[in-house]
Amino acid sequence: MKVQRLHCQIVIVGSGPAGLAAAQAASQHCESILVIDDNPRPGGQIWRHGPQHPPTKTAAERFNVLRHPAVRYLSATRIVSAQGPHRLLLEDARHAWQVDFAQLILCCGAQELLLPFPGWTLPGVTGAGGLQALLKNGLQVAGKSLVIAGSGPLLLASAASARQAGARVVRVAEQATATSLLGFASQLWRWPHKLAQALRLVTAAYRCNAHVEQALGEQRLEAVRVRQGRRSEEIPCDYLACGFGLVPNIRLASHLGCRLEHGAVAVDQQQRSSLPQVFAAGECTGIGGSELALIEGQIAGCVATGQEDRAAALIQQRRHWQHFAEQLHKHFELRPEILKLAQADTLLCRCEDVPYAAVAAAADWSTAKLHSRCGMGACQGRICANAAQRLFHWPPAPPRTPLVPARVATLMLDTPAHDTAD
Ligand SMILES: Cc1cc2nc3c(=O)[nH]c(=O)nc-3n(C[C@H](O)[C@H](O)[C@H](O)COP(=O)(O)OP(=O)(O)OC[C@H]3O[C@@H](n4cnc5c(N)ncnc54)[C@H](O)[C@@H]3O)c2cc1C
């Protein structure tokens, strides 16, 4: 296989709100920008689209930057490893690339936090954000009944999308208490657009202080047992979409050696990471929503291209949305009982069929992997590693290379013999 060499000033990883905003800001002062995304289409999570779901007008306008003469966009492209501080090894379905860059802007977004509970691996159970993604990719739910559960504003967004697709949303179970939700709602006047959105999305099926206890069914999901306070109720349904919030995607940052703080990439006022050549923006630096991701992306793109004055003007705006993020964290914090839903035989790692009891006594993630094969299956711990960290308070372990399953021919390029400078 022929390796292609690329040289560019700036590489941006991720084409969600943060990555697109970074590209937009940088394109005004930089002539060679490469945007990489492992998804086949741009937009990240919120602007995800598919054959029957064309991009919204806002998203389509944001995508224009990918046609800017200074920008090259590689979609469906995975990062296999970093080969030193200024080079990445990439591959797509047909090619492998070694990319040399001066600066790197990580806009890797977040992953949904899925926590184990009895029955969570039954067909018909997805994440709440996962349901959003499936609907945009064409999942048919017309006439089906759905329960949505977990925590955070994403539950209401998922419920609205499901209703729009013709589903009956019979329950939205939010684990946060009424006091927490009232506390959150009372602050929303500071973000009028968010207040309007919440009022538009809220539904009569919404319950607070409510969580899933068990997904029931033989071959696939048939019903869900939901607890609200002291009352437990069985709700028949076709789908359960259950997500307990989001966690920053720190895989690549951790592999590069960036400093992490509170489970996210640590950045300074100018979105610089602890490595001089690496910036980070958006939800990989902390969960805060698309508005914050957009501003952070802009700041990173400006600073990376020497537009510090422009960045300074954005820092005040960022504070406004950081306050919003703080409110989210405070009021949607998971209640202790949510971390105790799994039973001894509940699977934690669904790829390798590892039950909760097999890892609960382990000292850390590496020991759990060695003793049980937890996280060593097809998804390489993308789901269970986040769950295990949350359940057992284990520190995140840096990922090993290759970061993704890769062709042998590409892996051959990851040896010193192929580390050829021009
Ligand atoms: C499953 C899910 C569904 C969501 N749905 C909604 C929703 O419907 N509405 C809403 O308001 N918010 C939603 N969110 C929240 C949303 O992610 C944020 O508000 C916002 O999109 C964050 O923007 P971002 O640019 O930081 O990251 P993202 O939008 O997540 O974009 C990150 C991009 O980087 C890519 N990427 C990450 N790592 C790599 C790598 N190593 N190599 C190549 N590409 C990489 C990802 O594939 C992704 O396309 C969802 C979140 C998740 C996790």
Side-chain angles (χ1 to χ4, degrees):
M1 182 176 57
K2 192 171 175 320
V3 61
Q4 307 199 21
R5 297 295 299 270
L6 285 177
H7 299 266
C8 53
Q9 181 65 31
I10 297 180
V11 168
I12 298 172
V13 183
S15 63
L20 292 170
Q24 178 69 52
S27 64
Q28 300 176 19
H29 279 251
C30 174
E31 284 175 4
S32 96
I33 301 166
L34 177 68
V35 180
I36 305 165
D37 202 301
D38 50 13
N39 269 321
R41 300 184 192 91
Q45 299 295 356
I46 189 169
W47 293 331
R48 187 185 285 277
H49 53 287
Q52 280 123 46
H53 285 266
T56 59
K57 190 164 167 273
T58 313
E61 281 169 10
R62 290 280 176 181
F63 298 164
N64 282 338
V65 70
L66 300 174
R67 288 191 285 273
H68 189 283
V71 178
R72 179 167 179 184
Y73 171 51
L74 295 179
S75 62
T77 301
R78 299 170 301 276
I79 297 171
V80 177
S81 64
Q83 300 182 315
H86 291 279
R87 182 179 294 170
L88 293 174
L89 176 63
L90 322 175
E91 75 164 27
D92 71 2
R94 285 184 299 151
H95 308 101
W97 287 272
Q98 278 175 324
V99 181
D100 292 318
F101 58 85
Q103 283 151 315
L104 179 64
I105 306 181
L106 301 178
C107 301
C108 302
Q111 294 167 318
E112 188 162 29
L113 178 64
L114 304 179
L115 293 174
F117 53 86
W120 77 286
T121 54
L122 278 172
V125 183
T126 69
L131 175 70
Q132 286 282 64
L134 288 167
L135 291 171
K136 289 176 184 174
N137 281 314
L139 176 72
Q140 298 298 319
V141 291
K144 305 283 184 194
S145 56
L146 256 90
V147 171
I148 297 182
S151 197
L154 194 49
L155 303 189
L156 284 177
S158 294
S161 302
R163 278 198 308 272
Q164 220 170 20
R168 274 186 317 118
V169 178
V170 290
R171 179 62 46 86
V172 180
E174 165 59 61
Q175 64 86 40
T177 60
T179 316
S180 290
L181 289 181
L182 283 173
F184 182 66
S186 70
Q187 296 294 320
L188 278 184
W189 59 270
R190 294 154 79 189
W191 302 275
H193 154 74
K194 290 287 176 192
L195 176 60
Q197 200 178 35
L199 291 173
R200 201 175 62 244
L201 294 181
V202 79
T203 144
Y206 193 75
R207 301 283 185 282
C208 54
N209 198 19
H211 66 264
V212 164
E213 283 184 313
Q214 188 167 5
L216 305 157
E218 288 299 323
Q219 300 302 317
R220 62 161 288 122
L221 181 75
E222 291 163 18
V224 175
R225 190 152 54 234
V226 174
R227 172 164 293 277
Q228 187 182 14
R230 273 183 284 170
R231 224 181 87 215
S232 183
E233 150 184 39
E234 214 170 284
I235 306 174
C237 60
D238 301 299
Y239 288 98
L240 164 64
C242 186
F244 291 98
L246 305 176
V247 279
N249 177 358
I250 53 168
R251 258 177 94 74
L252 181 56
S254 173
H255 169 61
L256 291 165
C258 297
R259 191 168 66 82
L260 305 175
E261 207 172 52
H262 309 303
V265 187
V267 287
D268 68 7
Q269 280 279 77
Q270 296 187 314
Q271 303 296 140
R272 291 177 194 275
S273 79
S274 58
L275 301 179
Q277 77 283 19
V278 183
F279 292 76
E283 293 205 315
C284 62
T285 66
I287 305 307
S290 59
E291 294 84 356
L292 183 57
L294 278 167
I295 296 173
E296 290 182 351
Q298 264 181 286
I299 295 172
C302 286
V303 177
T305 50
Q307 308 174 69
E308 266 96 356
D309 289 354
R310 234 182 112 200
L314 293 162
I315 286 174
Q316 199 52 31
Q317 281 183 43
R318 183 181 57 193
R319 195 69 209 115
H320 179 66
W321 287 105
Q322 280 171 336
H323 280 309
F324 178 72
E326 284 157 15
Q327 295 299 322
L328 275 182
H329 293 293
K330 182 171 159 195
H331 295 292
F332 290 94
E333 198 182 340
L334 294 184
R335 288 187 287 122
E337 52 267 49
I338 303 300
L339 305 178
K340 294 181 189 142
L341 296 176
Q343 298 187 351
D345 61 350
T346 305
L347 292 185
L348 174 64
C349 169
R350 59 197 302 171
C351 299
E352 291 289 319
D353 284 350
V354 181
Y356 178 89
V359 296
D364 55 31
W365 177 238
S366 302
T367 317
K369 280 172 85 173
L370 284 174
H371 286 257
S372 69
R373 287 198 52 80
C374 188
M376 294 170 85
C379 92
Q380 287 290 294
R382 272 164 198 261
I383 292 173
C384 62
N386 286 332
Q389 260 167 45
R390 197 55 186 262
L391 294 174
F392 308 120
H393 310 292
W394 290 335
R400 293 167 63 174
T401 54
L403 294 170
V404 290
R407 286 186 294 271
V408 171
T410 307
L411 295 178
M412 298 284 286
L413 301 170
D414 209 11
T415 61
H418 282 87
D419 191 15
T420 50
D422 275 344

